[in-house]
Amino acid sequence: MRILALAALAATIGAPVAANAQADITVGRAPGVVVERSAGIAVDQRSAFRDYVVEQRVPTFTVPDRIVVGGVLPEAGITYYDVPQRFGPTTYRYTVVNGATLLVEPRSRRIVEVLD
């Protein structure tokens, strides 16, 4: 019985935060990715940040790969933008890929958060 409980707990912990199979985008943060609290967009600022991205008319880039936190975006063909200071200090940049707003570590192009 204890083994079944541990297996169920392990499956729950390993599951993604949320998944949108239709768009093939996994929303959330990858396990093992350490993100400082001040490094991303604060929860109370996310709605305003999404509005900002729409107002800026940032183009959406299309990639054939699945968009997952921890994944790496292609080296060419995507433009990255600075996050305005009013949304908090961050070392990350943002872009829109396959319709999803992403925070990306600029040097590695690694997706650290999906904001949709």
Side-chain angles (χ1 to χ4, degrees):
M1 187 66 134
R2 186 177 257 181
I3 293 172
L4 290 175
L6 289 174
L9 178 61
T12 302
I13 292 171
V17 174
N20 182 343
Q22 188 176 31
D24 213 16
I25 297 171
T26 300
V27 178
R29 290 191 179 151
V33 175
V34 177
V35 179
E36 295 176 21
R37 185 169 177 82
S38 64
I41 305 297
V43 174
D44 62 339
Q45 290 286 319
R46 289 183 183 177
S47 178
F49 182 70
R50 280 190 220 101
D51 291 344
Y52 168 81
V53 172
V54 170
E55 289 168 7
Q56 296 302 304
R57 297 185 177 160
V58 174
T60 186
F61 298 93
T62 303
V63 298
D65 299 326
R66 186 168 183 225
I67 300 301
V68 295
V69 175
V72 176
L73 294 173
E75 194 168 340
I78 296 179
T79 302
Y80 302 95
Y81 306 91
D82 292 328
V83 174
Q85 194 69 25
R86 69 181 178 190
F87 297 109
T90 183
T91 58
Y92 301 127
R93 299 179 108 196
Y94 77 94
T95 192
V96 179
V97 176
N98 296 352
T101 302
L102 312 175
L103 281 184
V104 178
E105 198 290 312
R107 289 188 190 119
S108 67
R109 301 174 325 279
R110 184 176 186 194
I111 301 167
V112 295
E113 195 165 356
V114 178
L115 296 169
D116 289 339

